[in-house]
Amino acid sequence: MIPLDIFADPVCPWCLIGKVELDRALESRPHHPFQIAWHPFRLNPQMPRGGMDRIEYLHAKLGDRAEEASRAVAQRAAALGLTLNPSPIEPDTTDAHRLMHWAGLEGAQTRVMSGLLRAHWQEARNIGDPAELARIAGAAGMDSDLVARLLGSDADRAEVASREQHARERGINSVPTFIVANQHVVSGAQPASLWQQVIAELTGS
């Protein structure tokens, strides 16, 4: 197996689109060689614990470009058959990344990331809410009661922060970022055709 390390934040729209494109490539190549691991990277490390109103956040971050950026995302999503219904809250994703860390211990990372992305981008749910995170964990096959208890503590908060800092020190400054075989960096939401080409090159078929 070849490691495919993915640095992502579920509130990043291009992470949603990039995952959909990657998923379609993997579905078309069921014998792909990738062993996927997801890694924490918060787009908004200074986000207040309670989050912010999404529209206010976008205008504060992007100014006059906010509507144009939202249209570009919606158009790319529509081309993939996705209907977006984003959460009105732009959350702090620290707890979501803690959940992803625990999911990694149980082999449930991709299911949990799918749930986080769907909740935030298509179901207008607040993934900064511990109760929502516990529900997402349960739907992915994890113990939702245990996750709720862990979220009520500071368990692995420092671990997740350390892993994110390590990513930044490696030069990662945007998401999604994919690292193939510990050496080849692929940035951004790439089309399924690119991933099919990568798989073909890696497998010789």
Side-chain angles (χ1 to χ4, degrees):
M1 300 297 287
I2 294 173
L4 176 58
D5 294 295
I6 308 175
F7 294 80
D9 193 343
V11 295
C12 165
W14 299 109
C15 292
L16 168 68
I17 290 166
K19 184 178 182 300
V20 170
E21 294 277 18
L22 174 63
D23 286 347
R24 293 186 179 182
L26 300 183
E27 288 165 6
S28 72
R29 303 290 189 272
H31 301 296
H32 68 82
F34 291 136
Q35 183 172 356
I36 294 173
W38 296 84
H39 301 276
F41 191 98
R42 290 171 301 168
L43 275 180
N44 316 305
Q46 306 307 318
M47 180 66 67
R49 289 287 289 270
M52 290 178 61
D53 176 85
R54 180 171 182 271
I55 301 302
E56 290 180 8
Y57 164 77
L58 288 176
H59 281 284
K61 182 175 183 178
L62 300 174
D64 294 340
R65 296 184 294 113
E67 292 183 7
E68 178 185 349
S70 294
R71 278 197 302 272
V73 168
Q75 290 171 357
R76 181 78 180 270
L80 292 170
L82 301 176
T83 300
L84 300 185
N85 179 32
S87 169
I89 300 297
E90 188 73 16
D92 170 19
T93 56
T94 300
D95 284 347
H97 287 298
R98 292 166 71 205
L99 172 57
M100 283 294 291
H101 173 69
W102 303 323
L105 304 177
E106 299 189 22
Q109 275 196 320
T110 295
R111 294 194 301 275
V112 169
M113 180 57 82
S114 295
L116 290 168
L117 289 166
R118 184 169 57 251
H120 179 76
W121 285 106
Q122 298 181 280
E123 298 172 351
R125 293 159 62 189
N126 178 9
I127 61 170
D129 181 348
E132 290 287 7
L133 293 174
R135 280 190 280 272
I136 290 167
M142 298 176 68
D143 183 333
S144 58
D145 291 336
L146 174 58
V147 167
R149 289 196 298 273
L150 288 169
L151 288 169
S153 73
D154 284 327
D156 294 313
R157 188 177 295 275
E159 169 69 16
V160 169
S162 175
R163 290 177 59 197
E164 178 181 340
Q165 182 60 32
H166 179 63
R168 294 182 187 277
E169 290 169 356
R170 292 175 66 186
I172 293 170
N173 56 24
S174 65
V175 287
T177 294
F178 306 83
I179 300 180
V180 182
N182 298 312
Q183 53 185 328
H184 304 294
V185 179
V186 179
S187 298
Q190 300 297 330
S193 57
L194 179 137
W195 289 112
Q196 290 167 339
Q197 179 182 344
V198 169
I199 292 167
E201 291 174 357
L202 291 171
T203 61
S205 61

